[in-house]
Amino acid sequence: MAVPALGQPRPDLPPEIADPRVSHFAFGPRDDQWRILVGLPDAPPPAQGYSAILALDGGRSFPHFWRHRESGAPQAPVILFGIGYEGANRRWRDLTSRAMAPVVPIAFYRPPPADRLTGGRDAFLMMIADMLLPELERRYPLDRGDMTIYGHSLGGLFVLHALFSRPRLFARYVAADPSVWWNAGESQREAQAFAGGVAAAGGLIDPTIPVMIAQAGLARQDHPHDPTSLVRILSRIRGLEVMYRPYPQESHGTLMKPSTADALNLHLSR
């Protein structure tokens, strides 16, 4: 995988992020690249390396993380990374499994846009695990055992899938308004299968994995982003520290600001 040299500060970020500690680089094949955003801390690395937060939908989420860290914890030795896109937005492909016809019972079902490819989440997760994280570790002094992944909406759906399929890839998992409607509640079926696997393996995850799930609006079982059923499933798994964060005054679109603050606070508290 070709990795161009480190880029310059992004000119399209808000003015307050025109900082020499903010940069980006293109990553991936020339015709299918991601934009990796990097926010260095104003602090030397600890002996074990910097901890890190990896944010999906980096074009939108990274500025929130940057502002939260710079205003609330400017000396925290935490690197911020965001995965965005060079050119066409392929997030539907990266963050979903293959779109399926409705299953019975139908829960939160709606079809994806006709012009969006789906089904690339496992390839995307493999890219993160086997290519991107080693490259970040090559470029920066990182503590790979102290990383948080954050995702909102389809990104939250992906974060849950990463937890269920690669639970030790990250130290903490944060899903904000995850798209639990995808494939008629697929995330709940994955959670049940994950719980069954933990039970078969002895019934305990050790060491504990913190999982934060945020929700905008009032809890409603008929709402397409209501994760409360999923929270109940995960809360029964010994060794998952499940934190449910409701935001009844927020909308799906405005949840990113407070949920990124929660994710940073969770990261700093460990």
Side-chain angles (χ1 to χ4, degrees):
M1 173 174 286
V3 182
L6 187 67
Q8 296 302 310
R10 281 187 58 187
D12 56 325
L13 283 173
E16 63 268 31
I17 306 184
D19 188 290
R21 289 184 286 117
V22 177
S23 61
H24 74 272
F25 62 91
F27 188 81
R30 187 171 299 277
D31 61 346
D32 190 18
Q33 292 187 323
W34 294 272
R35 173 172 289 183
I36 309 303
L37 307 172
V38 183
L40 297 175
D42 188 15
Q48 69 273 23
Y50 290 117
S51 67
I53 296 174
L54 180 67
L56 305 174
D57 289 317
R60 293 184 61 233
S61 60
F62 180 90
H64 289 296
F65 275 111
W66 174 264
R67 294 182 190 115
H68 293 319
R69 192 196 64 188
E70 292 300 289
S71 64
Q75 298 301 313
V78 181
I79 294 186
L80 305 175
F81 297 115
I83 303 180
Y85 292 91
E86 294 282 338
N89 187 331
R90 298 174 302 277
R91 68 187 295 269
W92 281 81
R93 177 202 67 180
D94 286 351
L95 302 178
T96 64
S97 59
R98 181 176 59 85
M100 299 168 57
V103 298
V104 178
I106 296 175
F108 306 151
Y109 177 78
R110 69 185 187 197
D115 62 340
R116 304 296 169 86
L117 295 176
T118 64
R121 69 180 184 184
D122 288 323
F124 185 54
L125 182 58
M126 184 178 298
M127 182 280 292
I128 291 173
D130 298 342
M131 300 178 192
L132 178 59
L133 293 183
E135 176 60 22
L136 296 178
E137 191 173 28
R138 184 186 72 80
R139 290 173 179 254
Y140 308 101
L142 291 182
D143 180 357
R144 282 282 298 272
D146 193 6
M147 300 187 73
T148 297
I149 184 171
Y150 168 91
H152 169 265
S153 194
L154 287 177
L157 179 75
F158 179 86
V159 165
L160 293 171
H161 176 68
L163 169 67
F164 301 146
S165 55
R166 301 285 292 267
R168 291 301 177 197
L169 185 59
F170 295 94
R172 292 162 291 276
Y173 295 77
V174 181
D177 258 6
S179 297
V180 296
W181 56 268
W182 180 254
N183 281 343
E186 181 178 83
S187 57
Q188 293 185 36
R189 298 192 293 276
E190 280 194 292
Q192 293 282 19
F194 180 68
V198 172
L204 175 66
I205 296 174
D206 186 30
T208 296
I209 301 175
V211 179
M212 180 179 287
I213 299 177
Q215 178 183 0
L218 297 175
R220 286 174 45 194
Q221 291 299 304
D222 61 341
H223 191 278
H225 294 283
D226 189 315
T228 50
S229 295
L230 185 71
V231 169
R232 285 193 292 270
I233 296 169
L234 298 180
S235 295
R236 294 195 291 265
I237 300 175
R238 294 173 60 215
L240 282 189
E241 183 185 350
V242 180
M243 291 156 277
Y244 173 57
R245 296 288 187 269
Y247 283 93
Q249 303 304 317
E250 300 291 341
S251 69
H252 182 65
T254 65
L255 180 64
M256 188 173 282
K257 182 176 181 179
S259 65
T260 49
D262 269 352
L264 178 61
N265 290 334
L266 171 65
H267 184 91
L268 295 175
S269 69
R270 302 291 158 160

